[in-house]
Amino acid sequence: MDIIVCIKQVPDTTEVKIDPVTNTLIRQGVPSIVNPFDKNALEAALQLKEQHGGKVTVLSMGPPQAKDALKECLAMGADEAVLMSDRAFGGADTLATSRTLAAGIRKLGHYDLLICGKQAIDGDTAQVGPEIAEALDIPQVTYAAKLEISGDSKVRIEREHEEGYEVVETTLPLMVTVVKSINEPRLPTVKGTMKANRKEIPMLTAADIDVDLDSIGLKGSPTQVHRIFTPKQRVQGQLIQADSPREAVAQLMNKLAEAKLI
Amino acid sequence: MAVIIKKEDCVGCGACVGVCPFGAISMENDVAVIGDGCTACGACLDDVCPANAIYREAEEKKVAMNKAEYHDVWVYLEQMDGQARSVGYELLGQGRRLADELKQKVAAVIIGDQVAELAVSAIASGADKVYLVEGPEYRHFTTDAYSIAFVDLVNTYKPTAILMGATNDGRDLAPRIAGRVGTGLCADCTDLGIDEKTGLVAWTRPAFGGNIMATIFCPEHRPQMGTVRPKVFKRPETDDARQGEVIRVSSKVRQEQIRTKFVEMLRVCGASCNLEEAEIIVSGGRGMGKPENFQLIEDLACTLNASVGASRAAVDAGWKPALHQVGQTGKTVGPKIYFACGISGAIQHLAGMSSSDIIIAVNKDPDAPIFKMADYGIVGDVMEVLPILNEEFKKVLQD
């Protein structure tokens, strides 16, 4: 089974802080990481490979330093890694990104399954996976919390839903996005890391793929960021420190009543 | 459209490096350089450069489509088993507001099996028109059937904007539609407006785990599309006297085009884990100590008819199933009242619940970061405070 996993290198948004004076993001010292959900996607792919054999290829679009993220995926056990990097890809919104990645996937050739994380933690859109599936005209199942493939390529997925899990059956080829609870991503082994360091990561530029240059990058992005601002910070409210829990609760109930919340 | 730094004017002060939310500007040989990470957001434009060396390249006109053909604001009224999700009605209220500003009409889109009666409530909630696609092939949501039906409506009736709920199915369906018609889509919006100057829909959404907000336009493509988080907007008052037109559109889906099959719904927790649509959420964290103690959370939730949430720590420890997790890698919620019990308030948790109207925190550590967010905080042991809180709320609700 040939599986392609799309990954994104993202800033660790939990490490991002706001400069209280300028009210802007402090990016210095914020580490770049493999998007956490994409690690779940890779883990799912590696487990399927262990069951069915085949090959796992990780694909990413990003600046040259995104190679570090791909190296980490190789160290976890991916067989191949490919980086799509070109100034022409830059400034892309989700649609332009998906067109670029879909062109990269076509270039890679045969695949049975495409796995993505449910969303990236910097943009949180959850759109690129489905938009790739659309560009490739393959079916999709999003928010997978359980993914089983039987020998004859029958797929059974439990998909996270607001009230529970929706069981869906389908066949390959397919695009799946996964949630965190699907698995616990493995850590890179020492041997894997050494192997990854020696491994060549080929780079695809715009010239290498079959794509209309007007449909990718900033030019091919229908959406435009008009304005960026920092949200209103919540102000600290009232802290109750009473002698006993009963007294504390009584004070809280009074305050809630005053605020007409109860 | 692209943002450019005029090298000869750059004084090398580095003022622009720190303001870039995407870290795309760096200093090379004392000159600021814009790298591949640039999204042309313009954060570096507003009076940032003391030498005025940063400017936006004049926009080249793209003739993408005849925008004049597109009119009316559409709202997708998502339903499940014939029940419309609340977010659909919330968006009808917003669709009404946007359409009034544009002096256009609001239409609801309803797709399902035997769901015609939802058209009545859509009209009562503000819709002028309802596009109704019915058939047994829409009994359960499938990406293929619903996207084919929706894209057919878009191509036939050409709306200027489409609002959809940022539900699991909405976020599954919207990008397929946007991809097929080749238009822009803004995910998870928390604010909507019409830009006075351009008449474009201004979609505002959080990014970077809620650390920044971005307002996004879709200038040259139609329809302008966005998903909007549940519970951000109030459900409009209904008016049963309102009149509207119901347009029945025949189904264009053939069975062989539906490539995934719904088997069953495993309702493992019902309403208690539907955190996205909850009015009140009671959440527990590591401070609950052990899984049995979550009973106190459940008890209070039961009293308040609330959903039950959990922090990542509590889920990772196996105390609650993943469907209850609130935070960056779990669910994003926006209830009227959020109780954070024994939750310290790690950034990744705050990212998931900071848009709650009222936050009430109980924690024994007075320095816990959650208190910086909370409207009301009790410093105390959750094990002692929760039973009393439950008792008091029971009394209040009885009166």
Side-chain angles (χ1 to χ4, degrees):
Chain A
M1 183 175 306
D2 291 337
I3 307 173
I4 296 174
V5 179
C6 291
I7 69 132
K8 185 180 184 187
Q9 188 182 46
V10 295
D12 187 348
T13 53
T14 60
E15 300 281 329
V16 172
K17 292 191 176 59
I18 303 288
D19 184 321
V21 183
T22 60
N23 226 14
T24 52
L25 289 182
I26 305 170
R27 299 260 318 205
Q28 259 155 3
V30 177
S32 285
I33 56 170
V34 178
N35 178 46
F37 296 111
D38 300 350
K39 282 194 175 176
N40 295 107
L42 176 56
E43 178 62 36
L46 294 172
Q47 288 181 13
L48 286 169
K49 184 195 154 185
E50 282 158 9
Q51 282 168 32
H52 301 276
K55 193 172 86 174
V56 175
T57 306
V58 278
L59 178 69
S60 188
M61 183 190 103
Q65 60 265 31
K67 270 194 178 169
D68 296 341
L70 288 169
K71 275 224 160 86
E72 192 178 338
C73 296
L74 288 170
M76 280 173 69
D79 300 292
E80 304 286 339
V82 178
L83 177 65
M84 305 187 73
S85 195
D86 196 313
R87 271 310 284 252
F89 302 154
D93 71 357
T94 63
L95 188 66
T97 301
S98 70
R99 285 171 178 154
T100 306
L101 285 165
I105 290 163
R106 279 195 209 100
K107 174 88 182 176
L108 292 179
H110 174 263
Y111 65 94
D112 299 290
L113 180 63
L114 186 61
I115 313 183
C116 304
K118 80 158 178 177
Q119 63 196 43
I121 60 166
D122 55 348
D124 289 321
T125 72
Q127 287 171 189
V128 173
E131 286 177 340
I132 293 173
E134 178 59 34
L136 296 170
D137 192 23
I138 56 172
Q140 74 185 38
V141 180
T142 52
Y143 302 100
K146 204 170 177 186
L147 167 61
E148 295 164 342
I149 301 183
S150 58
D152 48 354
S153 85
K154 270 211 178 108
V155 185
R156 183 186 178 278
I157 290 170
E158 287 181 17
R159 158 171 198 262
E160 201 174 283
H161 215 270
E162 276 80 357
E163 292 90 356
Y165 295 95
E166 180 188 350
V167 182
V168 177
E169 282 176 0
T170 184
T171 51
L172 301 175
L174 175 71
M175 194 288 300
V176 177
T177 74
V178 301
V179 297
K180 176 178 169 262
S181 64
I182 191 169
N183 55 39
E184 189 61 52
R186 66 194 66 187
L187 295 169
T189 58
V190 176
K191 208 175 133 197
T193 308
M194 280 162 59
K195 222 171 116 188
N197 282 334
R198 285 196 303 269
K199 185 101 190 164
E200 189 70 21
I201 296 179
M203 195 145 94
L204 293 178
T205 65
D208 299 318
I209 54 173
D210 180 20
V211 72
D212 174 6
L213 286 179
D214 285 338
S215 75
I216 59 166
L218 195 57
K219 249 186 172 175
S221 298
T223 63
Q224 213 177 77
V225 180
H226 170 63
R227 192 166 81 94
I228 294 252
F229 57 101
T230 41
K232 268 197 217 115
Q233 300 293 312
R234 289 187 86 102
V235 280
Q236 178 158 3
Q238 309 176 43
L239 199 60
I240 300 164
Q241 285 178 292
D243 293 336
S244 73
R246 192 162 288 281
E247 171 59 25
V249 171
Q251 283 187 28
L252 173 69
M253 299 307 278
N254 277 336
K255 287 179 196 294
L256 292 179
E258 273 170 36
K260 297 202 164 42
L261 287 164
I262 50 172
Chain B
M1 221 153 73
V3 174
I4 288 170
I5 297 177
K6 216 171 163 185
K7 272 189 200 145
E8 15 340 336
D9 289 356
C10 176
V11 293
C13 69
C16 52
V17 174
V19 300
C20 177
F22 303 96
I25 308 179
S26 58
M27 300 301 293
E28 285 174 20
N29 302 325
D30 287 337
V31 174
V33 176
I34 298 182
D36 291 342
C38 176
T39 65
C41 72
C44 55
L45 290 174
D46 306 327
D47 296 328
V48 169
C49 178
N52 290 321
I54 309 179
Y55 65 99
R56 198 188 275 279
E57 192 181 40
E59 201 164 315
E60 60 182 286
K61 276 275 167 227
K62 278 186 279 187
V63 187
M65 42 184 71
N66 183 2
K67 291 184 282 182
E69 281 182 7
Y70 290 77
H71 50 87
D72 292 356
V73 176
W74 285 11
V75 172
Y76 176 51
L77 193 62
E78 180 187 330
Q79 58 81 30
M80 193 176 158
D81 298 334
Q83 289 280 93
R85 287 202 183 273
S86 185
V87 65
Y89 295 113
E90 292 155 27
L91 293 184
L92 273 170
Q94 292 308 302
R96 180 76 264 160
R97 185 173 64 83
L98 300 181
D100 286 345
E101 278 189 53
L102 294 169
K103 301 194 170 50
Q104 296 183 2
K105 291 193 164 134
V106 183
V109 172
I110 302 173
I111 304 172
D113 186 25
Q114 296 170 29
V115 289
E117 62 191 52
L118 293 178
V120 179
S121 59
I123 291 166
S125 294
D128 301 308
K129 287 188 242 180
V130 176
Y131 294 103
L132 179 65
V133 187
E134 282 189 300
E137 61 273 39
Y138 306 109
R139 175 83 190 83
H140 299 287
F141 173 80
T142 58
T143 314
D144 286 330
Y146 275 59
S147 62
I148 289 169
F150 212 121
V151 168
D152 173 55
L153 292 176
V154 171
N155 289 338
T156 311
Y157 298 99
K158 300 189 189 319
T160 192
I162 304 176
L163 315 181
M164 300 174 77
T167 59
N168 285 22
D169 285 351
R171 289 178 14 137
D172 181 281
L173 178 61
R176 287 305 287 235
I177 299 168
R180 206 166 304 166
V181 301
T183 192
L185 172 63
C186 297
D188 271 15
C189 300
T190 54
D191 197 15
L192 300 170
I194 298 290
D195 181 62
E196 267 181 44
K197 230 164 75 185
T198 57
L200 293 167
V201 179
W203 312 87
T204 297
R205 65 180 305 268
F208 279 99
N211 285 305
I212 58 170
M213 305 295 290
T215 300
I216 291 167
F217 288 168
C218 179
E220 301 298 329
H221 295 71
R222 295 292 177 275
Q224 309 164 70
M225 289 183 67
T227 60
V228 182
R229 283 193 186 157
K231 292 283 147 206
V232 173
F233 297 108
K234 274 207 168 56
R235 207 173 153 147
E237 306 253 333
T238 54
D239 175 3
D240 293 330
R242 283 199 80 233
Q243 297 289 312
E245 182 191 358
V246 179
I247 300 146
R248 282 180 176 273
V249 181
S250 64
S251 173
K252 307 287 193 298
V253 178
R254 296 188 312 275
Q255 197 57 45
E256 68 271 19
Q257 290 176 302
I258 306 173
R259 297 169 289 186
T260 61
K261 188 172 151 247
F262 171 89
V263 179
E264 62 178 322
M265 189 65 83
L266 308 171
R267 286 177 202 277
V268 287
C269 48
S272 89
C273 69
N274 187 345
L275 299 164
E276 293 92 336
E277 291 179 289
E279 296 276 328
I280 304 175
I281 294 173
V282 186
S283 271
R286 200 197 298 273
M288 295 309 296
K290 50 183 174 182
E292 298 84 87
N293 294 346
F294 252 82
Q295 192 55 48
L296 296 175
I297 300 278
E298 314 264 351
D299 290 346
L300 180 58
C302 182
T303 303
L304 297 169
N305 199 14
S307 294
V308 174
S311 72
R312 185 170 77 186
V315 170
D316 284 351
W319 299 351
K320 279 312 268 184
L323 281 179
H324 292 273
Q325 187 182 323
V326 173
Q328 183 137 56
T329 51
K331 295 180 171 183
T332 304
V333 301
K336 297 240 156 36
I337 306 181
Y338 187 91
F339 289 87
C341 309
I343 293 175
S344 63
I347 287 181
Q348 67 81 24
H349 187 76
L350 304 180
M353 46 65 84
S354 60
S355 60
S356 307
D357 290 353
I358 298 286
I359 297 170
I360 300 174
V362 182
N363 203 298
K364 62 178 180 228
D365 174 10
D367 298 322
I370 190 77
F371 287 129
K372 292 207 164 51
M373 279 259 172
D375 299 273
Y376 304 96
I378 291 184
V379 181
D381 185 348
V382 278
M383 297 307 295
E384 290 173 4
V385 173
L386 277 177
I388 303 171
L389 204 53
N390 189 16
E391 216 174 277
E392 292 298 320
F393 273 116
K394 268 188 187 157
K395 272 189 218 158
V396 172
L397 289 168
Q398 262 167 19
D399 291 344

